[in-house]
PDB file of all heavy atoms in Angstrom:
ATOM      1  N   GLN A  30       0.808  -1.188  -0.097  1.00 98.00           N
ATOM      2  CA  GLN A  30       0.019  -0.002  -0.003  1.00 98.00           C
ATOM      3  C   GLN A  30       0.867   1.221  -0.011  1.00 98.00           C
ATOM      4  O   GLN A  30       1.980   1.202   0.500  1.00 98.00           O
ATOM      5  CB  GLN A  30      -0.960   0.052   1.186  1.00 98.00           C
ATOM      6  CG  GLN A  30      -2.104  -0.943   1.173  1.00 98.00           C
ATOM      7  CD  GLN A  30      -3.019  -0.705   2.235  1.00 98.00           C
ATOM      8  OE1 GLN A  30      -2.751  -0.304   3.303  1.00 98.00           O
ATOM      9  NE2 GLN A  30      -4.305  -1.112   2.015  1.00 98.00           N
ATOM     10  N   ALA A  31       0.402   2.334  -0.595  1.00 98.00           N
ATOM     11  CA  ALA A  31       1.060   3.580  -0.570  1.00 98.00           C
ATOM     12  C   ALA A  31       1.385   4.036   0.934  1.00 98.00           C
ATOM     13  O   ALA A  31       0.478   3.705   1.804  1.00 98.00           O
ATOM     14  CB  ALA A  31       0.183   4.704  -1.090  1.00 98.00           C
ATOM     15  N   GLY A  32       2.549   4.474   1.162  1.00 98.00           N
ATOM     16  CA  GLY A  32       3.044   4.662   2.390  1.00 98.00           C
ATOM     17  C   GLY A  32       3.761   3.645   3.153  1.00 98.00           C
ATOM     18  O   GLY A  32       4.458   3.804   4.145  1.00 98.00           O
ATOM     19  N   GLY A  33       3.696   2.472   2.537  1.00 98.00           N
ATOM     20  CA  GLY A  33       4.373   1.248   3.096  1.00 98.00           C
ATOM     21  C   GLY A  33       5.819   1.104   2.763  1.00 98.00           C
ATOM     22  O   GLY A  33       6.334   2.051   2.056  1.00 98.00           O
ATOM     23  N   SER A  34       6.385   0.032   3.130  1.00 98.00           N
ATOM     24  CA  SER A  34       7.897  -0.172   2.969  1.00 98.00           C
ATOM     25  C   SER A  34       8.160  -1.572   2.364  1.00 98.00           C
ATOM     26  O   SER A  34       7.443  -2.480   2.669  1.00 98.00           O
ATOM     27  CB  SER A  34       8.690  -0.145   4.179  1.00 98.00           C
ATOM     28  OG  SER A  34       8.561   1.271   4.764  1.00 98.00           O
ATOM     29  N   LEU A  35       9.133  -1.581   1.529  1.00 98.00           N
ATOM     30  CA  LEU A  35       9.638  -2.981   1.098  1.00 98.00           C
ATOM     31  C   LEU A  35      11.159  -2.939   1.039  1.00 98.00           C
ATOM     32  O   LEU A  35      11.761  -1.904   0.913  1.00 98.00           O
ATOM     33  CB  LEU A  35       9.167  -3.272  -0.359  1.00 98.00           C
ATOM     34  CG  LEU A  35       7.755  -3.789  -0.578  1.00 98.00           C
ATOM     35  CD1 LEU A  35       7.490  -3.923  -2.076  1.00 98.00           C
ATOM     36  CD2 LEU A  35       7.594  -5.091   0.114  1.00 98.00           C
ATOM     37  N   ARG A  36      11.832  -4.148   1.178  1.00 98.00           N
ATOM     38  CA  ARG A  36      13.260  -4.259   0.898  1.00 98.00           C
ATOM     39  C   ARG A  36      13.455  -5.217  -0.106  1.00 98.00           C
ATOM     40  O   ARG A  36      13.108  -6.405  -0.041  1.00 98.00           O
ATOM     41  CB  ARG A  36      14.008  -4.630   2.229  1.00 98.00           C
ATOM     42  CG  ARG A  36      15.413  -4.650   1.958  1.00 98.00           C
ATOM     43  CD  ARG A  36      16.260  -4.927   3.223  1.00 98.00           C
ATOM     44  NE  ARG A  36      16.332  -6.404   3.449  1.00 98.00           N
ATOM     45  CZ  ARG A  36      17.253  -6.910   4.225  1.00 98.00           C
ATOM     46  NH1 ARG A  36      18.165  -6.295   4.912  1.00 98.00           N
ATOM     47  NH2 ARG A  36      17.246  -8.312   4.417  1.00 98.00           N
ATOM     48  N   LEU A  37      14.112  -4.784  -1.212  1.00 98.00           N
ATOM     49  CA  LEU A  37      14.442  -5.727  -2.331  1.00 98.00           C
ATOM     50  C   LEU A  37      15.815  -6.169  -2.029  1.00 98.00           C
ATOM     51  O   LEU A  37      16.744  -5.357  -1.520  1.00 98.00           O
ATOM     52  CB  LEU A  37      14.448  -4.851  -3.617  1.00 98.00           C
ATOM     53  CG  LEU A  37      13.070  -4.234  -4.031  1.00 98.00           C
ATOM     54  CD1 LEU A  37      13.283  -3.607  -5.339  1.00 98.00           C
ATOM     55  CD2 LEU A  37      11.947  -5.259  -3.977  1.00 98.00           C
ATOM     56  N   SER A  38      16.155  -7.394  -2.568  1.00 98.00           N
ATOM     57  CA  SER A  38      17.539  -7.878  -2.427  1.00 98.00           C
ATOM     58  C   SER A  38      18.013  -8.347  -3.852  1.00 98.00           C
ATOM     59  O   SER A  38      17.179  -8.672  -4.606  1.00 98.00           O
ATOM     60  CB  SER A  38      17.484  -9.289  -1.568  1.00 98.00           C
ATOM     61  OG  SER A  38      17.106  -8.768  -0.272  1.00 98.00           O
ATOM     62  N   CYS A  39      19.303  -8.269  -4.017  1.00 98.00           N
ATOM     63  CA  CYS A  39      19.921  -8.724  -5.321  1.00 98.00           C
ATOM     64  C   CYS A  39      21.216  -9.463  -4.937  1.00 98.00           C
ATOM     65  O   CYS A  39      22.110  -9.010  -4.334  1.00 98.00           O
ATOM     66  CB  CYS A  39      20.328  -7.531  -6.157  1.00 98.00           C
ATOM     67  SG  CYS A  39      21.256  -7.907  -7.605  1.00 98.00           S
ATOM     68  N   ILE A  40      21.034 -10.803  -5.172  1.00 97.00           N
ATOM     69  CA  ILE A  40      22.140 -11.708  -4.857  1.00 97.00           C
ATOM     70  C   ILE A  40      22.978 -11.872  -6.035  1.00 97.00           C
ATOM     71  O   ILE A  40      22.394 -12.290  -7.112  1.00 97.00           O
ATOM     72  CB  ILE A  40      21.650 -12.962  -4.220  1.00 97.00           C
ATOM     73  CG1 ILE A  40      20.829 -12.681  -3.054  1.00 97.00           C
ATOM     74  CG2 ILE A  40      22.867 -13.996  -3.915  1.00 97.00           C
ATOM     75  CD1 ILE A  40      20.272 -14.006  -2.444  1.00 97.00           C
ATOM     76  N   ALA A  41      24.314 -11.726  -6.015  1.00 97.00           N
ATOM     77  CA  ALA A  41      25.173 -11.841  -7.201  1.00 97.00           C
ATOM     78  C   ALA A  41      25.927 -13.199  -7.002  1.00 97.00           C
ATOM     79  O   ALA A  41      26.424 -13.556  -5.913  1.00 97.00           O
ATOM     80  CB  ALA A  41      26.172 -10.802  -7.359  1.00 97.00           C
ATOM     81  N   SER A  42      26.202 -13.845  -8.083  1.00 96.00           N
ATOM     82  CA  SER A  42      27.039 -15.106  -8.052  1.00 96.00           C
ATOM     83  C   SER A  42      27.909 -15.095  -9.411  1.00 96.00           C
ATOM     84  O   SER A  42      27.614 -14.311 -10.348  1.00 96.00           O
ATOM     85  CB  SER A  42      26.189 -16.313  -8.013  1.00 96.00           C
ATOM     86  OG  SER A  42      25.340 -16.495  -9.158  1.00 96.00           O
ATOM     87  N   GLY A  43      28.913 -15.928  -9.294  1.00 95.00           N
ATOM     88  CA  GLY A  43      29.798 -15.975 -10.534  1.00 95.00           C
ATOM     89  C   GLY A  43      31.037 -15.262 -10.186  1.00 95.00           C
ATOM     90  O   GLY A  43      31.603 -15.241  -9.174  1.00 95.00           O
ATOM     91  N   ARG A  44      31.525 -14.389 -11.136  1.00 93.00           N
ATOM     92  CA  ARG A  44      32.736 -13.603 -11.025  1.00 93.00           C
ATOM     93  C   ARG A  44      32.551 -12.322 -10.299  1.00 93.00           C
ATOM     94  O   ARG A  44      32.637 -11.176 -10.874  1.00 93.00           O
ATOM     95  CB  ARG A  44      33.366 -13.411 -12.363  1.00 93.00           C
ATOM     96  CG  ARG A  44      34.808 -13.030 -12.416  1.00 93.00           C
ATOM     97  CD  ARG A  44      35.305 -12.975 -13.719  1.00 93.00           C
ATOM     98  NE  ARG A  44      36.666 -12.340 -13.747  1.00 93.00           N
ATOM     99  CZ  ARG A  44      37.344 -11.991 -14.808  1.00 93.00           C
ATOM    100  NH1 ARG A  44      36.823 -11.996 -16.093  1.00 93.00           N
ATOM    101  NH2 ARG A  44      38.671 -11.578 -14.692  1.00 93.00           N
ATOM    102  N   THR A  45      32.030 -12.423  -9.017  1.00 91.00           N
ATOM    103  CA  THR A  45      31.678 -11.220  -8.242  1.00 91.00           C
ATOM    104  C   THR A  45      32.801 -10.335  -7.893  1.00 91.00           C
ATOM    105  O   THR A  45      32.613  -9.161  -7.578  1.00 91.00           O
ATOM    106  CB  THR A  45      30.948 -11.677  -6.971  1.00 91.00           C
ATOM    107  OG1 THR A  45      31.727 -12.520  -6.192  1.00 91.00           O
ATOM    108  CG2 THR A  45      29.637 -12.309  -7.366  1.00 91.00           C
ATOM    109  N   SER A  46      33.956 -10.864  -7.893  1.00 91.00           N
ATOM    110  CA  SER A  46      35.248 -10.051  -7.560  1.00 91.00           C
ATOM    111  C   SER A  46      35.459  -8.977  -8.620  1.00 91.00           C
ATOM    112  O   SER A  46      36.161  -8.044  -8.270  1.00 91.00           O
ATOM    113  CB  SER A  46      36.367 -10.908  -7.432  1.00 91.00           C
ATOM    114  OG  SER A  46      36.732 -11.560  -8.735  1.00 91.00           O
ATOM    115  N   SER A  47      34.782  -9.083  -9.742  1.00 91.00           N
ATOM    116  CA  SER A  47      34.995  -8.150 -10.917  1.00 91.00           C
ATOM    117  C   SER A  47      34.073  -6.957 -10.700  1.00 91.00           C
ATOM    118  O   SER A  47      34.117  -5.937 -11.481  1.00 91.00           O
ATOM    119  CB  SER A  47      34.874  -8.774 -12.174  1.00 91.00           C
ATOM    120  OG  SER A  47      33.631  -9.255 -12.483  1.00 91.00           O
ATOM    121  N   VAL A  48      33.184  -6.978  -9.891  1.00 93.00           N
ATOM    122  CA  VAL A  48      31.970  -5.977  -9.780  1.00 93.00           C
ATOM    123  C   VAL A  48      32.524  -4.647  -9.304  1.00 93.00           C
ATOM    124  O   VAL A  48      33.156  -4.502  -8.259  1.00 93.00           O
ATOM    125  CB  VAL A  48      30.823  -6.534  -8.901  1.00 93.00           C
ATOM    126  CG1 VAL A  48      29.815  -5.374  -8.697  1.00 93.00           C
ATOM    127  CG2 VAL A  48      30.235  -7.745  -9.556  1.00 93.00           C
ATOM    128  N   VAL A  49      32.234  -3.711 -10.233  1.00 94.00           N
ATOM    129  CA  VAL A  49      32.644  -2.268  -9.894  1.00 94.00           C
ATOM    130  C   VAL A  49      31.529  -1.504  -9.177  1.00 94.00           C
ATOM    131  O   VAL A  49      31.752  -0.793  -8.193  1.00 94.00           O
ATOM    132  CB  VAL A  49      33.057  -1.565 -11.087  1.00 94.00           C
ATOM    133  CG1 VAL A  49      33.253  -0.033 -10.836  1.00 94.00           C
ATOM    134  CG2 VAL A  49      34.274  -2.174 -11.748  1.00 94.00           C
ATOM    135  N   ALA A  50      30.248  -1.763  -9.549  1.00 96.00           N
ATOM    136  CA  ALA A  50      29.217  -1.116  -9.024  1.00 96.00           C
ATOM    137  C   ALA A  50      27.817  -1.857  -9.202  1.00 96.00           C
ATOM    138  O   ALA A  50      27.812  -2.648 -10.143  1.00 96.00           O
ATOM    139  CB  ALA A  50      28.981   0.343  -9.588  1.00 96.00           C
ATOM    140  N   PHE A  51      26.872  -1.826  -8.348  1.00 97.00           N
ATOM    141  CA  PHE A  51      25.670  -2.268  -8.502  1.00 97.00           C
ATOM    142  C   PHE A  51      24.663  -1.115  -8.771  1.00 97.00           C
ATOM    143  O   PHE A  51      24.784  -0.028  -8.159  1.00 97.00           O
ATOM    144  CB  PHE A  51      25.125  -2.953  -7.176  1.00 97.00           C
ATOM    145  CG  PHE A  51      25.675  -4.374  -6.963  1.00 97.00           C
ATOM    146  CD1 PHE A  51      26.856  -4.592  -6.345  1.00 97.00           C
ATOM    147  CD2 PHE A  51      24.854  -5.515  -7.343  1.00 97.00           C
ATOM    148  CE1 PHE A  51      27.293  -5.924  -6.097  1.00 97.00           C
ATOM    149  CE2 PHE A  51      25.400  -6.755  -7.090  1.00 97.00           C
ATOM    150  CZ  PHE A  51      26.619  -6.989  -6.496  1.00 97.00           C
ATOM    151  N   GLY A  52      23.657  -1.453  -9.579  1.00 98.00           N
ATOM    152  CA  GLY A  52      22.662  -0.383  -9.756  1.00 98.00           C
ATOM    153  C   GLY A  52      21.320  -1.012  -9.630  1.00 98.00           C
ATOM    154  O   GLY A  52      21.044  -2.162  -9.857  1.00 98.00           O
ATOM    155  N   TRP A  53      20.379  -0.127  -9.248  1.00 98.00           N
ATOM    156  CA  TRP A  53      18.918  -0.518  -9.256  1.00 98.00           C
ATOM    157  C   TRP A  53      18.237   0.385 -10.242  1.00 98.00           C
ATOM    158  O   TRP A  53      18.409   1.583 -10.264  1.00 98.00           O
ATOM    159  CB  TRP A  53      18.282  -0.377  -7.889  1.00 98.00           C
ATOM    160  CG  TRP A  53      18.539  -1.386  -6.884  1.00 98.00           C
ATOM    161  CD1 TRP A  53      19.403  -1.364  -5.878  1.00 98.00           C
ATOM    162  CD2 TRP A  53      17.907  -2.650  -6.808  1.00 98.00           C
ATOM    163  NE1 TRP A  53      19.380  -2.560  -5.173  1.00 98.00           N
ATOM    164  CE2 TRP A  53      18.520  -3.418  -5.780  1.00 98.00           C
ATOM    165  CE3 TRP A  53      16.964  -3.298  -7.603  1.00 98.00           C
ATOM    166  CZ2 TRP A  53      18.196  -4.683  -5.373  1.00 98.00           C
ATOM    167  CZ3 TRP A  53      16.592  -4.610  -7.210  1.00 98.00           C
ATOM    168  CH2 TRP A  53      17.114  -5.384  -6.098  1.00 98.00           C
ATOM    169  N   PHE A  54      17.464  -0.189 -11.233  1.00 98.00           N
ATOM    170  CA  PHE A  54      16.644   0.473 -12.153  1.00 98.00           C
ATOM    171  C   PHE A  54      15.201   0.061 -11.972  1.00 98.00           C
ATOM    172  O   PHE A  54      14.985  -1.008 -11.395  1.00 98.00           O
ATOM    173  CB  PHE A  54      17.215   0.203 -13.430  1.00 98.00           C
ATOM    174  CG  PHE A  54      18.516   0.866 -13.836  1.00 98.00           C
ATOM    175  CD1 PHE A  54      19.745   0.367 -13.389  1.00 98.00           C
ATOM    176  CD2 PHE A  54      18.591   2.033 -14.592  1.00 98.00           C
ATOM    177  CE1 PHE A  54      20.982   0.999 -13.694  1.00 98.00           C
ATOM    178  CE2 PHE A  54      19.750   2.684 -14.853  1.00 98.00           C
ATOM    179  CZ  PHE A  54      20.875   2.065 -14.352  1.00 98.00           C
ATOM    180  N   ARG A  55      14.238   0.816 -12.654  1.00 98.00           N
ATOM    181  CA  ARG A  55      12.898   0.357 -12.702  1.00 98.00           C
ATOM    182  C   ARG A  55      12.250   0.683 -13.998  1.00 98.00           C
ATOM    183  O   ARG A  55      12.693   1.645 -14.660  1.00 98.00           O
ATOM    184  CB  ARG A  55      12.188   0.957 -11.501  1.00 98.00           C
ATOM    185  CG  ARG A  55      12.021   2.407 -11.511  1.00 98.00           C
ATOM    186  CD  ARG A  55      11.330   3.002 -10.276  1.00 98.00           C
ATOM    187  NE  ARG A  55      11.213   4.392 -10.237  1.00 98.00           N
ATOM    188  CZ  ARG A  55      10.812   5.195  -9.178  1.00 98.00           C
ATOM    189  NH1 ARG A  55      10.572   4.563  -8.058  1.00 98.00           N
ATOM    190  NH2 ARG A  55      10.730   6.445  -9.282  1.00 98.00           N
ATOM    191  N   GLN A  56      11.359  -0.048 -14.353  1.00 98.00           N
ATOM    192  CA  GLN A  56      10.617   0.265 -15.534  1.00 98.00           C
ATOM    193  C   GLN A  56       9.108   0.036 -15.328  1.00 98.00           C
ATOM    194  O   GLN A  56       8.607  -1.097 -15.008  1.00 98.00           O
ATOM    195  CB  GLN A  56      11.111  -0.712 -16.653  1.00 98.00           C
ATOM    196  CG  GLN A  56      10.514  -0.409 -18.044  1.00 98.00           C
ATOM    197  CD  GLN A  56      11.182  -1.095 -19.140  1.00 98.00           C
ATOM    198  OE1 GLN A  56      11.952  -2.117 -18.895  1.00 98.00           O
ATOM    199  NE2 GLN A  56      11.019  -0.629 -20.442  1.00 98.00           N
ATOM    200  N   ALA A  57       8.364   1.130 -15.442  1.00 97.00           N
ATOM    201  CA  ALA A  57       6.876   1.045 -15.433  1.00 97.00           C
ATOM    202  C   ALA A  57       6.268   0.778 -16.675  1.00 97.00           C
ATOM    203  O   ALA A  57       6.948   0.980 -17.779  1.00 97.00           O
ATOM    204  CB  ALA A  57       6.395   2.470 -14.922  1.00 97.00           C
ATOM    205  N   PRO A  58       5.067   0.293 -16.860  1.00 93.00           N
ATOM    206  CA  PRO A  58       4.480  -0.154 -18.034  1.00 93.00           C
ATOM    207  C   PRO A  58       4.416   1.062 -18.968  1.00 93.00           C
ATOM    208  O   PRO A  58       4.021   2.171 -18.685  1.00 93.00           O
ATOM    209  CB  PRO A  58       3.056  -0.525 -17.664  1.00 93.00           C
ATOM    210  CG  PRO A  58       3.190  -1.063 -16.277  1.00 93.00           C
ATOM    211  CD  PRO A  58       4.215  -0.189 -15.623  1.00 93.00           C
ATOM    212  N   GLY A  59       4.968   0.797 -20.107  1.00 95.00           N
ATOM    213  CA  GLY A  59       4.853   1.950 -21.296  1.00 95.00           C
ATOM    214  C   GLY A  59       5.894   2.878 -21.085  1.00 95.00           C
ATOM    215  O   GLY A  59       5.932   3.930 -21.855  1.00 95.00           O
ATOM    216  N   LYS A  60       6.858   2.795 -20.055  1.00 97.00           N
ATOM    217  CA  LYS A  60       7.832   3.811 -20.004  1.00 97.00           C
ATOM    218  C   LYS A  60       9.283   3.146 -20.087  1.00 97.00           C
ATOM    219  O   LYS A  60       9.353   1.940 -20.075  1.00 97.00           O
ATOM    220  CB  LYS A  60       7.793   4.376 -18.516  1.00 97.00           C
ATOM    221  CG  LYS A  60       6.515   5.112 -18.326  1.00 97.00           C
ATOM    222  CD  LYS A  60       6.555   5.928 -17.008  1.00 97.00           C
ATOM    223  CE  LYS A  60       5.264   6.745 -16.778  1.00 97.00           C
ATOM    224  NZ  LYS A  60       5.355   7.491 -15.482  1.00 97.00           N
ATOM    225  N   GLU A  61      10.282   4.028 -20.209  1.00 97.00           N
ATOM    226  CA  GLU A  61      11.629   3.554 -20.433  1.00 97.00           C
ATOM    227  C   GLU A  61      12.128   3.121 -19.050  1.00 97.00           C
ATOM    228  O   GLU A  61      11.731   3.625 -18.024  1.00 97.00           O
ATOM    229  CB  GLU A  61      12.526   4.574 -21.057  1.00 97.00           C
ATOM    230  CG  GLU A  61      12.154   4.925 -22.481  1.00 97.00           C
ATOM    231  CD  GLU A  61      13.264   5.933 -23.046  1.00 97.00           C
ATOM    232  OE1 GLU A  61      14.070   6.417 -22.440  1.00 97.00           O
ATOM    233  OE2 GLU A  61      13.002   5.972 -24.295  1.00 97.00           O
ATOM    234  N   ARG A  62      13.300   2.245 -19.064  1.00 97.00           N
ATOM    235  CA  ARG A  62      13.854   1.904 -17.838  1.00 97.00           C
ATOM    236  C   ARG A  62      14.634   3.108 -17.324  1.00 97.00           C
ATOM    237  O   ARG A  62      15.294   3.858 -18.005  1.00 97.00           O
ATOM    238  CB  ARG A  62      14.836   0.807 -18.105  1.00 97.00           C
ATOM    239  CG  ARG A  62      15.380   0.151 -16.908  1.00 97.00           C
ATOM    240  CD  ARG A  62      16.171  -1.125 -17.155  1.00 97.00           C
ATOM    241  NE  ARG A  62      15.218  -2.143 -17.818  1.00 97.00           N
ATOM    242  CZ  ARG A  62      15.522  -3.412 -18.102  1.00 97.00           C
ATOM    243  NH1 ARG A  62      16.781  -3.869 -17.665  1.00 97.00           N
ATOM    244  NH2 ARG A  62      14.699  -4.179 -18.588  1.00 97.00           N
ATOM    245  N   GLU A  63      14.409   3.386 -15.932  1.00 98.00           N
ATOM    246  CA  GLU A  63      15.046   4.572 -15.340  1.00 98.00           C
ATOM    247  C   GLU A  63      15.970   4.177 -14.175  1.00 98.00           C
ATOM    248  O   GLU A  63      15.624   3.192 -13.429  1.00 98.00           O
ATOM    249  CB  GLU A  63      13.959   5.531 -14.932  1.00 98.00           C
ATOM    250  CG  GLU A  63      12.906   5.060 -13.836  1.00 98.00           C
ATOM    251  CD  GLU A  63      11.899   6.071 -13.482  1.00 98.00           C
ATOM    252  OE1 GLU A  63      11.715   7.085 -14.182  1.00 98.00           O
ATOM    253  OE2 GLU A  63      11.305   5.994 -12.408  1.00 98.00           O
ATOM    254  N   PHE A  64      16.895   5.183 -13.904  1.00 98.00           N
ATOM    255  CA  PHE A  64      17.816   4.854 -12.736  1.00 98.00           C
ATOM    256  C   PHE A  64      17.125   5.173 -11.479  1.00 98.00           C
ATOM    257  O   PHE A  64      16.263   6.122 -11.367  1.00 98.00           O
ATOM    258  CB  PHE A  64      18.969   5.762 -12.894  1.00 98.00           C
ATOM    259  CG  PHE A  64      19.887   5.893 -11.704  1.00 98.00           C
ATOM    260  CD1 PHE A  64      20.781   4.839 -11.363  1.00 98.00           C
ATOM    261  CD2 PHE A  64      19.904   6.981 -10.951  1.00 98.00           C
ATOM    262  CE1 PHE A  64      21.695   4.965 -10.474  1.00 98.00           C
ATOM    263  CE2 PHE A  64      20.784   7.035  -9.871  1.00 98.00           C
ATOM    264  CZ  PHE A  64      21.557   6.041  -9.563  1.00 98.00           C
ATOM    265  N   VAL A  65      17.428   4.318 -10.467  1.00 98.00           N
ATOM    266  CA  VAL A  65      16.840   4.530  -9.162  1.00 98.00           C
ATOM    267  C   VAL A  65      18.033   4.770  -8.173  1.00 98.00           C
ATOM    268  O   VAL A  65      17.928   5.785  -7.567  1.00 98.00           O
ATOM    269  CB  VAL A  65      16.015   3.326  -8.629  1.00 98.00           C
ATOM    270  CG1 VAL A  65      15.681   3.469  -7.196  1.00 98.00           C
ATOM    271  CG2 VAL A  65      14.922   2.967  -9.607  1.00 98.00           C
ATOM    272  N   SER A  66      18.934   3.884  -8.052  1.00 98.00           N
ATOM    273  CA  SER A  66      20.100   3.994  -7.151  1.00 98.00           C
ATOM    274  C   SER A  66      21.217   3.196  -7.579  1.00 98.00           C
ATOM    275  O   SER A  66      21.115   2.288  -8.374  1.00 98.00           O
ATOM    276  CB  SER A  66      19.618   3.594  -5.781  1.00 98.00           C
ATOM    277  OG  SER A  66      20.544   3.741  -4.733  1.00 98.00           O
ATOM    278  N   ALA A  67      22.385   3.520  -6.943  1.00 98.00           N
ATOM    279  CA  ALA A  67      23.673   2.647  -7.270  1.00 98.00           C
ATOM    280  C   ALA A  67      24.584   2.752  -6.069  1.00 98.00           C
ATOM    281  O   ALA A  67      24.461   3.777  -5.365  1.00 98.00           O
ATOM    282  CB  ALA A  67      24.326   3.109  -8.538  1.00 98.00           C
ATOM    283  N   ILE A  68      25.424   1.871  -5.968  1.00 97.00           N
ATOM    284  CA  ILE A  68      26.490   1.713  -5.005  1.00 97.00           C
ATOM    285  C   ILE A  68      27.789   1.367  -5.614  1.00 97.00           C
ATOM    286  O   ILE A  68      27.825   0.384  -6.357  1.00 97.00           O
ATOM    287  CB  ILE A  68      26.142   0.970  -3.837  1.00 97.00           C
ATOM    288  CG1 ILE A  68      27.030   1.018  -2.686  1.00 97.00           C
ATOM    289  CG2 ILE A  68      25.826  -0.559  -4.175  1.00 97.00           C
ATOM    290  CD1 ILE A  68      26.518   0.530  -1.330  1.00 97.00           C
ATOM    291  N   LYS A  69      28.894   2.063  -5.232  1.00 95.00           N
ATOM    292  CA  LYS A  69      30.193   1.702  -5.762  1.00 95.00           C
ATOM    293  C   LYS A  69      30.847   0.874  -4.785  1.00 95.00           C
ATOM    294  O   LYS A  69      30.954   1.128  -3.642  1.00 95.00           O
ATOM    295  CB  LYS A  69      30.966   3.058  -6.030  1.00 95.00           C
ATOM    296  CG  LYS A  69      32.256   2.844  -6.782  1.00 95.00           C
ATOM    297  CD  LYS A  69      32.904   4.083  -7.246  1.00 95.00           C
ATOM    298  CE  LYS A  69      33.351   4.915  -6.176  1.00 95.00           C
ATOM    299  NZ  LYS A  69      34.221   6.092  -6.589  1.00 95.00           N
ATOM    300  N   MET A  70      31.427  -0.221  -5.311  1.00 92.00           N
ATOM    301  CA  MET A  70      31.939  -1.279  -4.320  1.00 92.00           C
ATOM    302  C   MET A  70      33.257  -0.762  -3.576  1.00 92.00           C
ATOM    303  O   MET A  70      33.507  -1.233  -2.518  1.00 92.00           O
ATOM    304  CB  MET A  70      32.244  -2.598  -5.102  1.00 92.00           C
ATOM    305  CG  MET A  70      30.901  -3.332  -5.653  1.00 92.00           C
ATOM    306  SD  MET A  70      29.980  -3.926  -4.236  1.00 92.00           S
ATOM    307  CE  MET A  70      28.645  -2.671  -4.023  1.00 92.00           C
ATOM    308  N   SER A  71      33.998  -0.004  -4.317  1.00 90.00           N
ATOM    309  CA  SER A  71      35.395   0.333  -3.744  1.00 90.00           C
ATOM    310  C   SER A  71      35.301   1.215  -2.551  1.00 90.00           C
ATOM    311  O   SER A  71      36.037   1.049  -1.526  1.00 90.00           O
ATOM    312  CB  SER A  71      36.181   0.991  -4.849  1.00 90.00           C
ATOM    313  OG  SER A  71      35.703   2.227  -5.289  1.00 90.00           O
ATOM    314  N   ASP A  72      34.258   2.058  -2.460  1.00 90.00           N
ATOM    315  CA  ASP A  72      34.156   3.069  -1.292  1.00 90.00           C
ATOM    316  C   ASP A  72      32.738   3.118  -0.798  1.00 90.00           C
ATOM    317  O   ASP A  72      32.496   3.962   0.043  1.00 90.00           O
ATOM    318  CB  ASP A  72      34.769   4.379  -1.632  1.00 90.00           C
ATOM    319  CG  ASP A  72      34.070   4.892  -2.927  1.00 90.00           C
ATOM    320  OD1 ASP A  72      32.995   4.407  -3.299  1.00 90.00           O
ATOM    321  OD2 ASP A  72      34.545   5.922  -3.529  1.00 90.00           O
ATOM    322  N   ASP A  73      31.843   2.240  -1.260  1.00 92.00           N
ATOM    323  CA  ASP A  73      30.443   2.360  -0.818  1.00 92.00           C
ATOM    324  C   ASP A  73      29.793   3.830  -1.122  1.00 92.00           C
ATOM    325  O   ASP A  73      28.744   4.027  -0.345  1.00 92.00           O
ATOM    326  CB  ASP A  73      30.344   2.040   0.703  1.00 92.00           C
ATOM    327  CG  ASP A  73      30.510   0.526   0.885  1.00 92.00           C
ATOM    328  OD1 ASP A  73      30.332  -0.272  -0.016  1.00 92.00           O
ATOM    329  OD2 ASP A  73      30.706   0.133   2.027  1.00 92.00           O
ATOM    330  N   ASN A  74      30.331   4.550  -2.070  1.00 95.00           N
ATOM    331  CA  ASN A  74      29.581   5.695  -2.389  1.00 95.00           C
ATOM    332  C   ASN A  74      28.254   5.345  -3.017  1.00 95.00           C
ATOM    333  O   ASN A  74      28.110   4.340  -3.771  1.00 95.00           O
ATOM    334  CB  ASN A  74      30.354   6.480  -3.433  1.00 95.00           C
ATOM    335  CG  ASN A  74      31.204   7.470  -2.882  1.00 95.00           C
ATOM    336  OD1 ASN A  74      31.261   7.755  -1.683  1.00 95.00           O
ATOM    337  ND2 ASN A  74      32.028   8.180  -3.744  1.00 95.00           N
ATOM    338  N   THR A  75      27.262   6.167  -2.637  1.00 97.00           N
ATOM    339  CA  THR A  75      25.894   5.831  -3.122  1.00 97.00           C
ATOM    340  C   THR A  75      25.288   6.928  -3.901  1.00 97.00           C
ATOM    341  O   THR A  75      25.767   8.074  -3.815  1.00 97.00           O
ATOM    342  CB  THR A  75      24.876   5.592  -1.981  1.00 97.00           C
ATOM    343  OG1 THR A  75      24.867   6.648  -1.040  1.00 97.00           O
ATOM    344  CG2 THR A  75      25.383   4.255  -1.109  1.00 97.00           C
TER     345      THR A  75
END
């Protein structure tokens, strides 16, 4: 419901040592994929 909360998780496997950054994107019906958030692995910049 509007006003509520959720926590999404993203589990990586494989060659994870090569990951530079994670990003979250979203796509609503009829719209382009858009940036939501990202985190850089080297310094946790968000």
Side-chain angles (χ1 to χ4, degrees):
Q30 286 190 331
S34 297
L35 277 179
R36 189 177 79 160
L37 305 183
S38 300
C39 173
I40 300 176
S42 60
R44 199 176 173 190
T45 57
S46 60
S47 66
V48 173
V49 172
F51 278 87
W53 283 100
F54 288 76
R55 65 187 181 187
Q56 188 166 17
K60 294 188 177 182
E61 292 187 355
R62 193 168 297 190
E63 63 178 15
F64 171 75
V65 174
S66 181
I68 185 166
K69 191 169 64 165
M70 293 292 97
S71 61
D72 56 14
D73 285 341
N74 266 359
T75 58

